[in-house]
């Protein structure tokens, strides 16, 4: 089978490079072009298996590109990107379908790396096809592993302390190698095992963190993401409480991270589930804040205890005043609402110093630490020291 190939149609060179890096890691061959003329030339040389098209193009917009693809009888699936807002993107997707194109949907800018990776994995023709029974068996045997991304918090004296971790599942598959957290959840969703996988990973992560707390004498906190479909599962709060009790981890040590997409699928049911989670003592964080369509509305309506600034704003904050404005607004909003604030994706000392100066006191990312194994977590907590450059 030929390798999957991605054609990026976008005039932002830096963004093309970013998407290309992500897509290459996923397993794609990548080519990019910045205008319609270059697109025509690319299509004569290559036959991409996926097109990622920006609606805002110089010398001709994305709608003209859609018409060109129709006239050229291109059957390659198309994913749109833009910062124009959901309504414009939804309209463009409908137009593409009316033109007879295979439209996959859209990703809003600024792009979320998690959403981009998930889309690229979904579209891979040669991705692993994991047997449902194999996943059931590995869950039953408690053979999944968990890796952790540490989080630091700045205290009143100005020192940074390691105060929490976010958990990510791993499956060392005998045939396909290591399946990361995103791929693992995709497999579980296809096999209709999302609830069982979520419970298994939460239970294992809670047991590890409880053990580390006991070993190190710290109050280490745990964050776990909740897949979209779980937000309509009214049994989630009770199951989670039972798993924490079994692991010996206090309810107050757990934060469940949710995305706005999950809430919008069924706001009434999501309100039910998240309110009961808070009543049981768990924290609830809005993940990827700033990338959704109505995040402020959801913050006002839902019982959140934490906001997580999306990594895309952190990455661009050094160069873009607009990103710094967003971060300042998030700091002010969190203070006004009385909730915690965490910045995700911190990769450099300069980013940390900038975020600190903007008032963000809780951070996570590769600068703090790469993902650590279950076995390495206690050692990291025991020996962690952050030293500024």
């Amino acid at each position: 089978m030929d390798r999957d190939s991605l054609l990026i149609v976008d005039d932002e060179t830096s963004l093309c490079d970013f998407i290309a890096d992500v897509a290459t890691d996923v397993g794609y061959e990548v080519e990019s072009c910045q205008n319609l003329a270059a697109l025509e030339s690319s299509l004569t040389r290559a036959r991409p298996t996926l097109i990622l098209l920006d609606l805002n193009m110089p010398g001709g917009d994305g709608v003209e590109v859609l018409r060109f693809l129709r006239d050229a009888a291109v059957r390659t699936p198309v994913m749109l990107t833009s910062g124009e807002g959901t309504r414009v993107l939804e309209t463009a997707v409908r137009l593409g379908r009316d033109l007879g194109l295979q439209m996959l949907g859209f990703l809003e800018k600024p792009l979320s790396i998690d959403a981009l990776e998930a889309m690229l994995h979904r579209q891979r023709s040669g991705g692993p096809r994991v047997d449902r029974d194999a996943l059931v068996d590995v869950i039953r045997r408690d053979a999944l592993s968990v890796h952790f991304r540490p989080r630091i918090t700045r205290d009143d004296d100005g020192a940074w302390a390691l105060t929490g971790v976010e958990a990510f599942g791993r499956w060392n598959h005998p045939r396909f190698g290591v399946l990361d957290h995103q791929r693992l959840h995709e497999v579980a969703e296809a096999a209709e095992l999302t609830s069982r996988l979520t419970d298994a990973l939460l239970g294992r992560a809670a047991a590890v963190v409880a053990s580390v707390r006991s070993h190190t004498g710290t109050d280490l906190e745990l964050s776990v993401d909740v897949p979209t479909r779980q937000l309509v599962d009214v049994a989630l709060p009770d199951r989670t409480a039972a798993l924490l009790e079994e692991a010996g981890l206090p309810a107050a040590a757990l934060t469940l991270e949710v995305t706005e997409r999950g809430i919008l699928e069924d706001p009434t049911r999501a309100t039910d589930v998240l309110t009961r989670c808070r009543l049981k003592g768990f924290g609830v964080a809005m993940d990827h804040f700033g990338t959704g369509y109505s995040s402020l509305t959801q913050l006002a309506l839902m019982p959140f205890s934490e906001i997580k600034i999306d990594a895309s704003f952190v990455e661009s904050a050094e160069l873009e005043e607009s990103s710094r404005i967003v971060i300042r607004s998030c700091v002010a909003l969190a203070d006004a609402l009385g909730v915690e604030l965490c910045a995700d994706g911190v990769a450099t000392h300069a980013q940390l110093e900038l975020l600190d100066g903007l008032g963000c006191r809780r951070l996570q990312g590769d600068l703090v630490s790469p993902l650590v194994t279950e076995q390495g977590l206690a050692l990291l907590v025991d020996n962690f020291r952050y030293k500024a450059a």
Side-chain angles (χ1 to χ4, degrees):
M1 180 178 294
D2 293 336
R3 189 179 182 188
D4 296 283
S5 58
L6 171 67
L7 178 57
I8 307 167
V9 188
D10 196 306
D11 64 306
E12 296 183 57
T13 304
S14 61
L15 182 60
C16 288
D17 292 341
F18 163 72
I19 296 171
D21 287 343
V22 175
T24 300
D25 287 342
V26 172
Y28 284 80
E29 294 179 347
V30 181
E31 183 171 342
S32 60
C33 52
Q34 283 70 49
N35 51 53
L36 183 55
L39 171 63
E40 294 184 55
S41 176
S42 294
L43 290 174
T44 61
R45 296 192 313 273
R47 306 181 85 180
T49 59
L50 174 64
I51 296 173
L52 189 63
L53 169 63
D54 181 23
L55 280 181
N56 305 92
M57 299 290 294
D61 56 47
V63 173
E64 291 178 295
V65 174
L66 293 176
R67 289 203 300 267
F68 164 76
L69 295 175
R70 185 272 313 271
D71 294 341
V74 173
R75 303 302 302 159
T76 303
V78 178
M79 175 69 73
L80 297 180
T81 67
S82 178
E84 292 291 334
T86 302
R87 293 186 64 186
V88 172
L89 282 161
E90 288 175 342
T91 301
V93 169
R94 287 195 298 271
L95 172 61
R97 287 172 180 157
D98 290 342
L99 291 172
L101 300 174
Q102 186 178 345
M103 304 298 296
L104 299 175
F106 61 84
L107 296 173
E108 288 194 86
K109 290 184 177 181
L111 293 179
S112 158
I113 188 170
D114 291 337
L116 177 61
E117 285 182 335
M119 183 275 293
L120 292 170
H121 277 296
R122 283 196 303 271
Q123 296 308 312
R124 286 200 65 190
S125 60
R129 304 290 188 264
V130 178
D131 182 77
R132 184 182 191 277
D133 291 341
L135 182 55
V136 170
D137 179 64
V138 77
I139 292 174
R140 179 185 58 79
R141 293 187 291 107
D142 193 25
L144 298 171
S145 63
V146 179
H147 287 201
F148 297 92
R149 183 175 297 285
R151 166 185 298 185
I152 56 176
T153 303
R154 191 178 189 272
D155 62 25
D156 293 337
D157 295 328
W160 293 94
L162 199 162
T163 55
V165 290
E166 182 177 356
F168 297 89
R170 290 287 187 275
W171 180 9
N172 190 8
H173 194 281
R175 179 181 174 190
F176 300 120
V178 176
L179 302 186
D180 65 12
H181 189 76
Q182 180 66 43
R183 182 60 185 143
L184 189 52
H185 275 284
E186 290 174 359
V187 170
E189 184 173 347
E192 298 185 346
L193 292 170
T194 302
S195 292
R196 289 188 63 177
L197 176 65
T198 301
D199 290 355
L201 294 177
L202 173 59
R204 188 174 185 100
V208 172
V209 170
S211 175
V212 171
R213 285 165 63 103
S214 175
H215 172 78
T216 60
T218 61
D219 294 326
L220 192 69
E221 298 172 348
L222 170 66
S223 295
V224 177
D225 72 289
V226 178
T228 297
R229 291 188 178 183
Q230 292 299 96
L231 285 183
V232 297
D233 182 357
V234 294
L236 177 67
D238 292 320
R239 292 203 318 273
T240 300
L243 288 166
L244 292 183
E245 183 176 3
E246 181 179 352
L249 186 69
L254 175 68
T255 294
L256 300 176
E257 299 190 1
V258 304
T259 63
E260 188 178 5
R261 176 189 168 199
I263 295 168
L264 293 177
E265 296 227 344
D266 190 336
T268 301
R269 188 74 66 87
T271 302
D272 177 323
V273 171
L274 296 182
T275 300
R276 293 190 64 236
C277 285
R278 291 303 310 279
L279 290 172
K280 289 184 178 297
F282 322 141
V284 176
M286 175 177 274
D287 202 4
H288 304 303
F289 184 72
T291 60
Y293 181 59
S294 55
S295 297
L296 289 175
T297 301
Q298 299 310 325
L299 274 179
L301 296 176
M302 298 290 178
F304 289 106
S305 58
E306 181 179 323
I307 299 169
K308 290 191 72 176
I309 301 173
D310 190 73
S312 60
F313 296 109
V314 173
E315 181 182 4
S316 58
E318 291 180 76
L319 299 177
E320 297 181 11
E321 174 63 19
S322 59
S323 293
R324 295 192 291 275
I325 290 172
V326 169
I327 294 170
R328 287 193 196 98
S329 299
C330 288
V331 171
L333 185 61
D335 287 343
L337 293 174
V339 301
E340 298 289 346
L341 180 72
C342 179
D344 195 11
V346 181
T348 68
H349 292 291
Q351 289 173 351
L352 182 143
E353 297 301 331
L354 175 60
L355 289 163
D356 186 24
L358 294 174
C360 188
R361 299 294 186 264
R362 185 172 289 192
L363 315 168
Q364 68 181 57
D366 287 342
L367 175 66
V368 177
S369 170
L371 289 174
V372 296
T373 64
E374 298 175 15
Q375 296 75 18
L377 182 58
L379 184 63
L380 178 68
V381 174
D382 267 336
N383 296 283
F384 180 82
R385 298 290 185 276
Y386 174 77
K387 296 180 182 180

